[in-house]
Amino acid sequence: MSLTDSVQNKQPGVITCKAAVAWGPGEPMMIEEVELSPPQSMEIRVKIVCTSLCRSDVTAWLSQAQASIYPRIFGHEASGIVESVGEGVTEFVEGDHVLTLFTGECMSCRHCTSGKSNICQVLGLKRDGVMHGDQKTRFSIKGKPVYHYCAVSSFSEYTVVHSGCAVKVSPIAPLDKICLLSCGAAAGLGAAWKVANISEGSKVVIFGLGTVGLSVAQGAKMRGASQIIGVDMMQEKCEKAKAFGVTDFLNPKDTDEPIPQVINRLTGGGADYAFECIGDTGMVTTALQSCCDGWGLTVTLGVPKQKPEVTAHFGLLLNGRTLTGSLFGGWKPKSEIPSLVEMYLKKEIELDDLITHTLPFEDINTAFDLMKNGTCLRCVIHMPEIEGFPMAGN
């Protein structure tokens, strides 16, 4: 990695670093040298220390829907250290430990001030491969643009993000663990606590026991749910699911009976809360059918791989069942995520057991293979050590 005098002179300049570049949908990542511009107004440049692979990275990488937004650098669930700051940035200084945020918080738009939403109108989810401010890229190769993912692109030694899309965290928090709170683990906990607001003694069903689903289970257990049913087609997930709070493991391959009927029987009339954590709109319907009449709530968290439309019989809704969505667990990213980091430091929430694999940056394609094959929950990718920056456990 070459720093073009930016560190020595304390003036941010263009740097050259290594990044995992996808040149087309589904194509293997290539470790390339890229140029990264200095942070512009209200932006910061971050040395990525650890980045974990999220299912939505894989879904977007495999999708043909945005074939024109290539070459591209994926990654959004990450921790790092501020290397430099752009004009107007006052809340960050060099050396701050941060989590990147795939959806930001401007603190001033209608949604940010409503107390009802975390869907920022200014720094919301960015799908078009460019930055929020000037609608341009910060990465390039030989003068040609390399596009961003969620305005984060953490599969790079360094990245530039808007200051509203990063949050300062305690310097004693291990960066190789808390990176999971940048997306998946926080999304599951928030869905249980903030979106569904699970009540003590309730009955819960969770479809999909990946990182998000297990985090929902953890949140449900902490809220005192009396029954937590986990539904997954991979039997080997049963033991870990029980450790995170699942009381009943249900493998659809083990029964010929429709899953909603099984859940209706197990719960005595349907679950109080159902969570769809797979990214399958057909499963959203199944989850809704698995809720009880009157007050049953279904929360969908997964990013669909295909067929984005949801279909359901109107009678389910007429009888009092509710369907809602959850982005990032309803957390206001900058305001509330630091509290989850503190909970982790106090050992009040579990993250470590969600990490099934750790790999060096050069093996990033192996991480994608593991996720595609369903053989990992979270794979944490450790970036190369660079002089002057502490590594993950420091």
Side-chain angles (χ1 to χ4, degrees), residues 189-271:
L189 290 167
W193 294 342
K194 291 182 65 68
V195 179
N197 192 20
I198 291 173
S199 55
E200 186 175 0
S202 58
K203 299 178 180 181
V204 175
V205 59
I206 304 164
F207 293 87
L209 297 175
T211 295
V212 175
L214 292 179
S215 297
V216 171
Q218 179 176 191
K221 179 182 179 181
M222 292 174 69
R223 279 292 180 90
S226 63
Q227 186 177 26
I228 304 173
I229 302 170
V231 183
D232 202 289
M233 296 181 71
M234 298 186 69
Q235 192 66 36
E236 54 267 33
K237 292 184 178 180
C238 180
E239 184 177 346
K240 181 156 285 193
K242 295 290 181 71
F244 274 85
V246 169
T247 58
D248 303 86
F249 182 88
L250 178 59
N251 187 335
K253 294 188 292 187
D254 292 341
T255 178
D256 295 326
E257 189 178 1
I259 294 301
Q261 290 184 21
V262 177
I263 292 168
N264 188 284
R265 175 165 44 80
L266 289 173
T267 58

Side-chain angles (χ1 to χ4, degrees), residues 18 20 29 31 359-367 381-384:
K18 291 182 179 178
M29 310 285 151
I31 303 297
L359 289 172
F361 181 44
E362 58 265 27
D363 291 339
I364 191 167
N365 286 306
T366 300
I381 297 163
H382 290 249
M383 305 303 288

